[in-house]
């Protein structure tokens, strides 16, 4: 959703899905080992100040010091990721 309008995004095909999965897994292992933060794949993020705009990157990282102490509730995540990656084919 970009400023209240739906935008269709094609699904990742095989090679792109493999790259995104590998990146998410590798980054996740590194972040977990160093307690650096949370790694997300395909999560929806609210973009503040941009109207009704949401993004869902293939891989995202939020630093540990920015993660909510009680975890996330239902719905989209209202914290902008410190890193977001899209895999293009």
């Amino acid at each position: 959703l970009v400023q209240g309008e739906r935008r269709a995004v094609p699904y990742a095909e095989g090679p792109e899905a493999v790259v995104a999965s590998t990146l998410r897994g590798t980054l996740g292992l590194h972040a977990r080992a160093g307690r650096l933060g949370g790694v997300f794949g395909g999560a929806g993020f609210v973009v503040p100040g941009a109207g009704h705009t949401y993004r869902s990157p293939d891989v995202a990282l939020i630093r540990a010091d920015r993660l909510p102490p009680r975890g996330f509730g239902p719905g989209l995540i209202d914290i902008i990721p410190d890193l977001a990656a899209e895999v293009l084919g």
Side-chain angles (χ1 to χ4, degrees), residues 54-83:
Y54 313 104
R55 294 290 190 215
S56 180
D58 292 323
V59 181
L61 173 121
I62 299 174
R63 288 189 335 255
D65 63 317
R66 297 183 60 231
L67 292 171
R70 294 184 181 195
F72 294 99
L76 298 172
I77 298 173
D78 61 355
I79 299 172
I80 293 180
D82 295 289
L83 175 128

Side-chain angles (χ1 to χ4, degrees), residues 18-75:
V18 170
V19 170
S21 179
T22 301
L23 178 59
R24 185 171 47 246
T26 303
L27 184 60
L29 289 172
H30 180 71
R32 193 172 312 118
R35 297 182 181 178
L36 302 176
V39 175
F40 304 85
F45 294 92
V46 176
V47 180
H52 294 285
T53 301
Y54 313 104
R55 294 290 190 215
S56 180
D58 292 323
V59 181
L61 173 121
I62 299 174
R63 288 189 335 255
D65 63 317
R66 297 183 60 231
L67 292 171
R70 294 184 181 195
F72 294 99

Side-chain angles (χ1 to χ4, degrees), residues 5-17:
E5 293 185 30
R6 288 183 63 118
R7 295 225 179 137
V9 178
Y11 288 105
E13 295 183 9
E16 293 86 8

